[in-house]
Coordinates of all heavy atoms in Angstrom, one line a residue:
Q30 N 2.7 71.4 36.4 CA 2.6 71.2 34.9 C 1.2 71.4 34.4 O 1.0 71.9 33.3 CB 3.1 69.8 34.6 CG 3.0 69.5 33.1 CD 3.5 68.1 32.8 OE1 4.3 67.6 33.6 NE2 3.1 67.6 31.7
V31 N 0.2 71.0 35.2 CA -1.2 71.1 34.8 C -1.5 72.6 34.7 O -1.4 73.3 35.7 CB -2.1 70.3 35.7 CG1 -3.5 70.5 35.3 CG2 -1.7 68.9 35.7
M32 N -2.1 73.0 33.6 CA -2.5 74.4 33.4 C -4.0 74.5 33.4 O -4.7 73.6 32.9 CB -1.9 75.0 32.2 CG -0.4 75.2 32.2 SD 0.1 76.0 30.7 CE -0.3 77.7 31.0
K33 N -4.6 75.6 33.9 CA -6.0 75.8 33.8 C -6.4 76.2 32.4 O -5.5 76.7 31.7 CB -6.4 76.8 34.8 CG -6.2 76.4 36.3 CD -7.0 77.3 37.2 CE -7.2 76.6 38.5 NZ -6.2 76.9 39.5
V34 N -7.6 76.0 32.0 CA -8.1 76.3 30.7 C -7.9 77.8 30.4 O -7.5 78.2 29.3 CB -9.5 75.9 30.5 CG1 -10.1 76.4 29.2 CG2 -9.7 74.4 30.6
K35 N -8.2 78.6 31.4 CA -8.0 80.1 31.3 C -6.5 80.4 30.9 O -6.3 81.3 30.1 CB -8.4 80.7 32.6 CG -8.4 82.2 32.5 CD -8.9 82.9 33.8 CE -8.8 84.4 33.7 NZ -9.1 85.0 35.0
E36 N -5.6 79.7 31.6 CA -4.2 80.0 31.3 C -3.8 79.5 29.9 O -3.1 80.2 29.2 CB -3.3 79.3 32.3 CG -3.4 79.8 33.7 CD -2.8 78.9 34.8 OE1 -2.6 77.7 34.5 OE2 -2.4 79.5 35.8
L37 N -4.4 78.4 29.5 CA -4.1 77.9 28.1 C -4.6 78.9 27.1 O -4.0 79.1 26.0 CB -4.8 76.5 27.9 CG -4.1 75.4 28.7 CD1 -5.0 74.1 28.5 CD2 -2.7 75.1 28.2
R38 N -5.8 79.5 27.3 CA -6.4 80.4 26.3 C -5.5 81.6 26.2 O -5.5 82.3 25.1 CB -7.8 80.8 26.8 CG -8.8 79.8 26.6 CD -10.2 80.3 26.9 NE -11.1 79.2 27.1 CZ -11.7 78.5 26.2 NH1 -11.4 78.7 24.9 NH2 -12.6 77.6 26.5
E39 N -4.7 82.0 27.2 CA -3.9 83.2 27.1 C -2.6 82.9 26.4 O -1.9 83.9 26.0 CB -3.6 83.7 28.5 CG -4.8 84.2 29.2 CD -4.6 84.5 30.7 OE1 -3.5 84.2 31.2 OE2 -5.6 84.9 31.4
L40 N -2.2 81.7 26.1 CA -1.0 81.4 25.3 C -1.1 81.8 23.9 O -2.2 81.8 23.3 CB -0.7 79.9 25.4 CG -0.4 79.3 26.8 CD1 -0.2 77.8 26.7 CD2 0.8 79.9 27.4
S41 N 0.0 82.1 23.3 CA 0.1 82.4 21.9 C -0.1 81.1 21.1 O 0.0 80.0 21.7 CB 1.4 83.0 21.5 OG 2.4 82.1 21.5
K42 N -0.4 81.2 19.8 CA -0.6 80.0 19.0 C 0.7 79.1 19.0 O 0.6 77.9 19.0 CB -0.9 80.4 17.6 CG -1.8 79.4 16.8 CD -2.0 79.8 15.4 CE -3.4 80.5 15.2 NZ -3.7 80.6 13.8
E43 N 1.8 79.8 18.9 CA 3.1 79.0 18.9 C 3.3 78.2 20.2 O 3.8 77.1 20.2 CB 4.3 79.9 18.6 CG 4.3 80.5 17.2 CD 3.3 81.7 17.1 OE1 2.9 82.3 18.1 OE2 2.9 81.9 15.9
E44 N 3.1 78.9 21.3 CA 3.2 78.3 22.6 C 2.3 77.1 22.7 O 2.6 76.0 23.3 CB 3.0 79.3 23.8 CG 4.0 80.3 23.9 CD 3.7 81.4 24.9 OE1 2.5 81.9 24.9 OE2 4.6 81.8 25.7
L45 N 1.1 77.3 22.3 CA 0.1 76.3 22.4 C 0.5 75.1 21.5 O 0.3 73.9 21.9 CB -1.3 76.8 21.9 CG -2.5 76.0 22.3 CD1 -2.6 75.8 23.8 CD2 -3.8 76.8 21.9
T46 N 1.0 75.3 20.3 CA 1.4 74.3 19.4 C 2.6 73.5 20.1 O 2.6 72.2 20.1 CB 2.0 74.8 18.1 OG1 0.9 75.6 17.5 CG2 2.4 73.7 17.1
G47 N 3.5 74.2 20.8 CA 4.6 73.5 21.5 C 4.0 72.6 22.6 O 4.5 71.5 22.8
R48 N 3.0 73.1 23.4 CA 2.4 72.3 24.4 C 1.7 71.1 23.9 O 1.8 70.0 24.5 CB 1.4 73.2 25.2 CG 2.0 74.4 25.9 CD 2.1 74.1 27.3 NE 2.7 75.3 27.9 CZ 3.0 75.4 29.2 NH1 2.7 74.4 30.0 NH2 3.6 76.5 29.7
I49 N 1.1 71.2 22.7 CA 0.4 70.1 22.1 C 1.4 69.0 21.7 O 1.2 67.8 22.0 CB -0.5 70.6 20.9 CG1 -1.7 71.4 21.4 CG2 -0.9 69.4 20.1 CD1 -2.4 72.1 20.3
D50 N 2.5 69.5 21.1 CA 3.5 68.5 20.8 C 4.1 67.8 22.0 O 4.3 66.6 22.0 CB 4.7 69.2 20.0 CG 4.3 69.7 18.6 OD1 3.3 69.1 18.1 OD2 5.0 70.5 18.1
E51 N 4.3 68.5 23.1 CA 4.8 67.9 24.3 C 3.8 66.9 24.9 O 4.2 65.8 25.3 CB 5.0 69.0 25.4 CG 6.2 69.9 25.2 CD 6.3 71.0 26.2 OE1 5.8 70.8 27.4 OE2 6.8 72.1 25.9
A52 N 2.5 67.3 24.8 CA 1.5 66.3 25.4 C 1.5 65.1 24.5 O 1.3 64.0 25.1 CB 0.1 67.0 25.4
R53 N 1.6 65.2 23.2 CA 1.6 64.0 22.3 C 2.8 63.1 22.6 O 2.6 61.9 22.7 CB 1.5 64.4 20.9 CG 0.2 64.9 20.4 CD 0.1 65.2 18.9 NE -1.2 65.4 18.5 CZ -1.6 66.3 17.6 NH1 -0.7 67.1 17.1 NH2 -2.9 66.5 17.3
K54 N 3.9 63.7 22.8 CA 5.1 62.9 23.1 C 5.0 62.2 24.5 O 5.4 61.1 24.6 CB 6.4 63.8 23.1 CG 6.8 64.2 21.7 CD 8.0 65.2 21.7 CE 8.3 65.8 20.4 NZ 9.1 66.9 20.4
S55 N 4.5 63.0 25.4 CA 4.2 62.4 26.7 C 3.3 61.3 26.7 O 3.5 60.2 27.4 CB 3.7 63.5 27.6 OG 3.4 63.0 28.9
L56 N 2.2 61.4 25.9 CA 1.3 60.3 25.8 C 1.9 59.0 25.2 O 1.7 57.9 25.7 CB 0.1 60.8 24.9 CG -1.2 60.1 25.1 CD1 -1.7 60.0 26.5 CD2 -2.3 60.8 24.2
V57 N 2.8 59.2 24.2 CA 3.5 58.1 23.6 C 4.4 57.4 24.7 O 4.4 56.2 24.8 CB 4.3 58.5 22.4 CG1 5.2 57.4 21.9 CG2 3.4 58.9 21.3
E58 N 5.1 58.2 25.4 CA 5.9 57.7 26.5 C 5.1 56.9 27.5 O 5.5 55.9 28.0 CB 6.6 58.9 27.2 CG 8.0 59.3 26.7 CD 9.0 58.2 26.7 OE1 9.2 57.6 27.8 OE2 9.6 57.9 25.7
L59 N 4.0 57.5 28.0 CA 3.1 56.9 29.0 C 2.6 55.5 28.5 O 2.6 54.6 29.2 CB 2.0 57.8 29.4 CG 2.3 59.0 30.2 CD1 1.2 60.0 30.3 CD2 2.9 58.7 31.6
R60 N 2.2 55.5 27.2 CA 1.7 54.2 26.7 C 2.8 53.2 26.6 O 2.5 52.0 26.8 CB 1.1 54.5 25.3 CG -0.3 55.2 25.3 CD -0.8 55.4 23.9 NE -2.1 56.0 24.0 CZ -2.6 56.9 23.1 NH1 -1.8 57.3 22.1 NH2 -3.8 57.4 23.2
F61 N 4.0 53.6 26.3 CA 5.1 52.7 26.2 C 5.4 52.2 27.6 O 5.6 51.0 27.8 CB 6.4 53.4 25.6 CG 7.6 52.6 25.5 CD1 7.6 51.6 24.5 CD2 8.6 52.7 26.4 CE1 8.7 50.8 24.4 CE2 9.7 51.9 26.3 CZ 9.8 50.9 25.3
Q62 N 5.4 53.1 28.6 CA 5.7 52.6 30.0 C 4.6 51.6 30.4 O 4.9 50.7 31.1 CB 5.7 53.8 30.9 CG 6.9 54.7 30.8 CD 6.9 55.9 31.7 OE1 6.1 56.0 32.6 NE2 7.8 56.9 31.4
L63 N 3.3 51.9 30.0 CA 2.2 51.0 30.4 C 2.5 49.6 29.8 O 2.3 48.6 30.4 CB 0.9 51.6 29.9 CG -0.3 50.8 30.2 CD1 -0.6 50.9 31.7 CD2 -1.5 51.4 29.5
A64 N 2.9 49.6 28.5 CA 3.2 48.3 27.8 C 4.3 47.6 28.5 O 4.3 46.3 28.5 CB 3.5 48.6 26.3
M65 N 5.3 48.3 29.0 CA 6.4 47.7 29.6 C 6.2 47.5 31.1 O 7.1 47.1 31.8 CB 7.7 48.6 29.5 CG 8.1 48.8 28.0 SD 8.5 47.3 27.1 CE 10.0 47.0 27.9
R66 N 5.0 47.7 31.6 CA 4.6 47.5 33.0 C 5.5 48.4 34.0 O 5.8 48.0 35.1 CB 4.8 46.1 33.4 CG 4.0 45.1 32.6 CD 2.7 44.7 33.2 NE 2.1 43.6 32.6 CZ 0.9 43.7 31.8 NH1 0.4 44.9 31.7 NH2 0.4 42.7 31.3
K67 N 5.9 49.6 33.5 CA 6.7 50.5 34.3 C 5.9 51.7 34.7 O 6.5 52.6 35.3 CB 7.9 50.9 33.5 CG 8.8 49.7 33.2 CD 10.3 49.9 33.6 CE 11.2 48.9 33.0 NZ 11.5 47.8 33.9
L68 N 4.7 51.8 34.3 CA 3.9 53.0 34.6 C 3.3 52.9 36.0 O 2.5 52.0 36.3 CB 2.8 53.2 33.6 CG 1.9 54.4 33.7 CD1 2.8 55.7 33.5 CD2 0.9 54.4 32.6
E69 N 3.7 53.8 36.9 CA 3.3 53.8 38.3 C 1.9 54.3 38.5 O 1.1 53.9 39.3 CB 4.2 54.6 39.2 CG 5.6 53.9 39.3 CD 6.6 54.8 40.1 OE1 6.1 55.6 40.9 OE2 7.8 54.5 40.0
N70 N 1.5 55.3 37.6 CA 0.2 55.9 37.8 C -0.6 55.9 36.5 O -0.5 56.9 35.7 CB 0.4 57.4 38.3 CG -0.9 58.1 38.6 OD1 -2.0 57.5 38.5 ND2 -0.9 59.3 39.0
P71 N -1.3 54.9 36.2 CA -2.0 54.8 34.9 C -3.0 55.9 34.7 O -3.4 56.2 33.5 CB -2.8 53.4 35.0 CG -2.1 52.7 36.1 CD -1.5 53.7 37.0
A72 N -3.5 56.6 35.7 CA -4.4 57.7 35.5 C -3.8 58.8 34.8 O -4.5 59.7 34.2 CB -5.0 58.1 36.9
R73 N -2.5 58.9 34.8 CA -1.8 60.0 34.1 C -2.1 59.9 32.6 O -2.1 61.0 31.9 CB -0.3 59.9 34.3 CG 0.2 60.5 35.6 CD 1.6 60.6 35.7 NE 2.2 61.4 34.7 CZ 3.5 61.3 34.3 NH1 4.3 60.5 34.8 NH2 3.9 62.1 33.3
I74 N -2.4 58.7 32.0 CA -2.7 58.7 30.6 C -4.0 59.4 30.4 O -4.1 60.2 29.5 CB -2.8 57.2 30.1 CG1 -1.5 56.5 30.1 CG2 -3.5 57.1 28.8 CD1 -1.5 55.1 29.7
R75 N -5.0 59.2 31.2 CA -6.3 59.8 31.1 C -6.2 61.4 31.2 O -6.7 62.1 30.4 CB -7.3 59.3 32.1 CG -8.7 59.8 31.9 CD -9.7 59.2 32.9 NE -9.5 57.8 33.2 CZ -9.4 57.3 34.4 NH1 -9.4 58.1 35.5 NH2 -9.2 56.0 34.6
T76 N -5.4 61.8 32.2 CA -5.3 63.2 32.4 C -4.5 63.9 31.3 O -4.9 65.0 30.9 CB -4.6 63.6 33.8 OG1 -3.4 62.9 33.8 CG2 -5.5 63.2 34.9
T77 N -3.5 63.2 30.8 CA -2.8 63.8 29.6 C -3.7 63.8 28.4 O -3.6 64.8 27.7 CB -1.5 62.9 29.3 OG1 -0.7 62.8 30.5 CG2 -0.7 63.5 28.2
K78 N -4.5 62.8 28.2 CA -5.4 62.8 27.0 C -6.4 64.0 27.2 O -6.7 64.7 26.2 CB -6.1 61.5 26.9 CG -5.3 60.4 26.3 CD -6.0 59.0 26.4 CE -7.2 58.9 25.6 NZ -7.8 57.5 25.6
R79 N -6.9 64.2 28.4 CA -7.8 65.3 28.6 C -7.2 66.6 28.3 O -7.8 67.5 27.7 CB -8.4 65.2 30.0 CG -9.4 66.3 30.3 CD -10.0 66.2 31.7 NE -10.7 64.9 31.9 CZ -10.4 64.1 32.9 NH1 -9.5 64.4 33.8 NH2 -11.1 62.9 33.1
E80 N -6.0 66.8 28.8 CA -5.2 68.1 28.6 C -5.0 68.3 27.1 O -5.2 69.4 26.6 CB -3.9 68.1 29.4 CG -4.0 68.2 30.9 CD -2.7 67.9 31.6 OE1 -1.7 67.9 30.9 OE2 -2.8 67.6 32.8
L81 N -4.6 67.3 26.4 CA -4.4 67.4 25.0 C -5.7 67.8 24.3 O -5.7 68.7 23.4 CB -3.9 66.0 24.4 CG -3.6 66.0 22.9 CD1 -2.6 67.0 22.5 CD2 -3.1 64.6 22.6
A82 N -6.8 67.2 24.6 CA -8.1 67.5 24.0 C -8.4 69.0 24.3 O -8.9 69.7 23.4 CB -9.1 66.6 24.5
Q83 N -8.2 69.4 25.5 CA -8.5 70.8 25.8 C -7.7 71.8 25.0 O -8.1 72.8 24.4 CB -8.3 71.1 27.3 CG -9.3 70.5 28.2 CD -9.0 70.6 29.7 OE1 -7.8 70.8 30.0 NE2 -10.0 70.4 30.5
M84 N -6.4 71.5 24.8 CA -5.5 72.3 24.1 C -5.9 72.3 22.6 O -5.9 73.4 21.9 CB -4.0 71.9 24.2 CG -3.5 72.2 25.6 SD -1.7 71.8 25.7 CE -1.7 70.1 26.0
L85 N -6.2 71.2 22.1 CA -6.7 71.1 20.7 C -7.9 71.9 20.4 O -8.1 72.5 19.4 CB -6.8 69.6 20.2 CG -5.6 68.8 20.1 CD1 -5.9 67.3 19.9 CD2 -4.7 69.3 19.0
T86 N -8.8 71.8 21.4 CA -10.1 72.6 21.3 C -9.8 74.1 21.3 O -10.3 74.8 20.4 CB -11.0 72.3 22.5 OG1 -11.3 70.9 22.4 CG2 -12.3 73.1 22.4
I87 N -8.9 74.5 22.2 CA -8.5 75.9 22.2 C -7.9 76.4 20.9 O -8.1 77.4 20.4 CB -7.7 76.2 23.4 CG1 -8.5 76.0 24.7 CG2 -7.1 77.6 23.4 CD1 -7.7 76.0 26.0
M88 N -7.0 75.5 20.4 CA -6.3 75.8 19.1 C -7.4 75.9 18.0 O -7.3 76.9 17.2 CB -5.4 74.7 18.8 CG -4.6 74.9 17.5 SD -3.6 76.4 17.6 CE -2.0 75.7 18.1
T89 N -8.4 75.1 18.0 CA -9.4 75.2 17.0 C -10.2 76.5 17.1 O -10.5 77.1 16.1 CB -10.4 74.0 17.1 OG1 -9.7 72.8 17.0 CG2 -11.5 74.0 16.0
E90 N -10.5 76.9 18.3 CA -11.1 78.1 18.6 C -10.3 79.3 18.1 O -10.8 80.2 17.4 CB -11.4 78.3 20.1 CG -12.5 77.4 20.6 CD -12.6 77.4 22.1 OE1 -11.8 78.2 22.8 OE2 -13.4 76.7 22.7
K91 N -9.0 79.3 18.3 CA -8.1 80.3 17.8 C -8.1 80.4 16.3 O -8.1 81.5 15.7 CB -6.7 80.1 18.3 CG -6.5 80.5 19.8 CD -5.1 80.3 20.2 CE -4.9 80.6 21.7 NZ -4.9 82.0 22.0
E92 N -8.1 79.2 15.7 CA -8.2 79.2 14.2 C -9.5 79.8 13.7 O -9.5 80.5 12.7 CB -8.1 77.7 13.7 CG -6.7 77.0 14.0 CD -5.6 77.5 13.2 OE1 -5.9 77.9 12.0 OE2 -4.5 77.5 13.6
A93 N -10.6 79.5 14.3 CA -11.9 79.9 13.9 C -12.0 81.5 14.0 O -12.6 82.1 13.2 CB -13.0 79.3 14.8
V94 N -11.4 82.0 15.1 CA -11.4 83.5 15.2 C -10.6 84.2 14.1 O -11.0 85.2 13.6 CB -10.8 83.9 16.6 CG1 -10.6 85.3 16.8 CG2 -11.7 83.4 17.7
K95 N -9.5 83.6 13.8 CA -8.6 84.2 12.7 C -9.3 84.1 11.4 O -9.2 85.0 10.6 CB -7.2 83.5 12.7 CG -6.4 83.8 13.9 CD -5.3 84.7 13.6 CE -4.5 85.1 14.9 NZ -3.3 85.6 14.7
G96 N -9.8 82.9 11.1 CA -10.3 82.6 9.7 C -11.7 83.0 9.6 O -12.4 83.1 8.7

């Protein structure tokens, strides 16, 4: 599931938007599991947040190139 930054840069804007939405939903799920004491690996929250930040940065770069 984890993609390298190079792979993320090769995605289209639509695919990237879909991945960002997935990451946000996943983060909500992870936080809910954490609150319910059902999260087995709390580090997943950190890695998901990092991936989301990378994708948002790449999206911003794509916007800057177009505009």
Side-chain angles (χ1 to χ4, degrees):
Q30 179 180 337
V31 177
M32 292 185 76
K33 293 194 163 92
V34 174
K35 184 178 178 184
E36 293 171 336
L37 288 171
R38 287 187 196 282
E39 293 170 357
L40 295 176
S41 71
K42 208 186 260 191
E43 292 76 25
E44 290 173 316
L45 198 54
T46 303
R48 299 254 179 183
I49 288 170
D50 289 342
E51 286 175 29
R53 284 187 169 139
K54 287 176 188 165
S55 177
L56 203 51
V57 169
E58 270 298 309
L59 290 170
R60 286 181 177 142
F61 181 73
Q62 288 176 13
L63 184 67
M65 299 300 288
R66 305 262 191 249
K67 300 230 188 263
L68 186 59
E69 291 178 19
N70 185 1
R73 280 189 56 206
I74 290 177
R75 189 179 317 126
T76 56
T77 303
K78 283 170 67 173
R79 184 178 297 128
E80 289 169 16
L81 177 58
Q83 287 172 340
M84 289 186 279
L85 289 171
T86 300
I87 292 167
M88 182 62 92
T89 303
E90 289 170 359
K91 285 183 183 282
E92 296 286 331
V94 169
K95 291 251 175 165

